[in-house]
Amino acid sequence: MTDTQNLLGSQSAKISDEIASTQQQTGVHVRLLFLADFNDAKDPDRWVADVLESTQPKANTVMLAVASNDGRLVVAVSKNSDRWLQEQKNVDALSQAALQPLQNSGSPDWAGCAIGFMEKIKSIHHDRQVIRRTVVIVLCVLLLVLACVVSCLVFVHHSRKNSHARHGRVRRGRAPASR
């Protein structure tokens, strides 16, 4: 966490705890960068991505960079992250979650920005876990139904085969009827 202007102030310890909690619950490493500006970068998105990659981040590292003077923020995801973190819709959702506390009336809530960002990471991760479990359950149920159908078909096939075999033995064993 880098906060060159002490925007987080007394909330720094809470933010650090939230970073640890996010990593523990999701496996996502969070980096926060609060600056006055993006060093006059023509492309702040590229600049933040380059800053993140220059740190040789662990897999699944996400950086929230906020320039307090111009009110911009950028979310960057390390190149070695899982696909779900790199999906644009999730990056957009993280950006929006971080931006909302800065746009509220009154003064910007810098700590709320960081916390909202990390809560959104947890929310997206949780939703993915629920979807995964649902898919696994549905697949298991489908496999169970398929196994039941196959078992029934095998049973019916063997029942008919045995029935035909019994009828064939009975017919062969009968004497012709006398007239």
Side-chain angles (χ1 to χ4, degrees), residues 6-179:
N6 196 29
L7 296 172
L8 300 175
S10 64
Q11 298 290 326
S12 291
K14 181 179 179 180
I15 302 298
S16 292
D17 291 345
E18 191 70 23
I19 290 170
S21 170
T22 301
Q23 181 180 347
Q24 180 187 18
Q25 292 179 32
T26 67
V28 175
H29 304 277
V30 174
R31 302 252 173 111
L32 301 175
L33 184 59
F34 286 85
L35 308 163
D37 55 48
F38 290 126
N39 293 333
D40 297 323
K42 291 182 182 183
D43 184 359
D45 293 332
R46 179 79 260 145
W47 184 83
V48 172
D50 290 344
V51 167
L52 175 59
E53 291 303 322
S54 73
T55 66
Q56 299 177 345
K58 294 179 181 178
N60 299 325
T61 298
V62 180
M63 177 181 275
L64 170 63
V66 180
S68 61
N69 287 348
D70 62 10
R72 287 208 54 185
L73 66 80
V74 173
V75 173
V77 179
S78 64
K79 292 177 182 175
N80 58 351
S81 293
D82 291 342
R83 190 176 69 219
W84 71 272
L85 276 172
Q86 295 182 16
E87 288 178 7
Q88 191 60 49
K89 69 176 183 168
N90 291 335
V91 172
D92 292 343
L94 293 174
S95 296
Q96 189 57 43
L99 188 59
Q100 192 170 14
L102 300 179
Q103 294 177 330
N104 291 341
S105 61
S107 63
D109 181 1
W110 304 109
C113 168
I115 290 170
F117 174 73
M118 290 181 275
E119 286 177 351
K120 192 63 177 179
I121 292 170
K122 291 176 187 177
S123 171
I124 293 169
H125 182 266
H126 177 265
D127 291 350
R128 286 187 70 251
Q129 295 300 92
V130 168
I131 290 169
R132 268 191 175 158
R133 276 182 279 218
T134 302
V135 167
V136 167
I137 290 169
V138 167
L139 287 176
C140 288
V141 168
L142 287 174
L143 287 174
L144 183 62
V145 168
L146 181 63
C148 288
V149 167
V150 169
S151 296
C152 288
L153 289 174
V154 168
F155 177 76
V156 167
H157 175 72
H158 283 300
S159 294
R160 285 183 179 174
K161 186 176 176 182
N162 289 340
S163 175
H164 287 358
R166 272 187 264 131
H167 284 20
R169 275 188 249 138
V170 171
R171 285 185 187 155
R172 283 187 221 137
R174 284 190 192 169
S178 57
R179 290 190 198 195

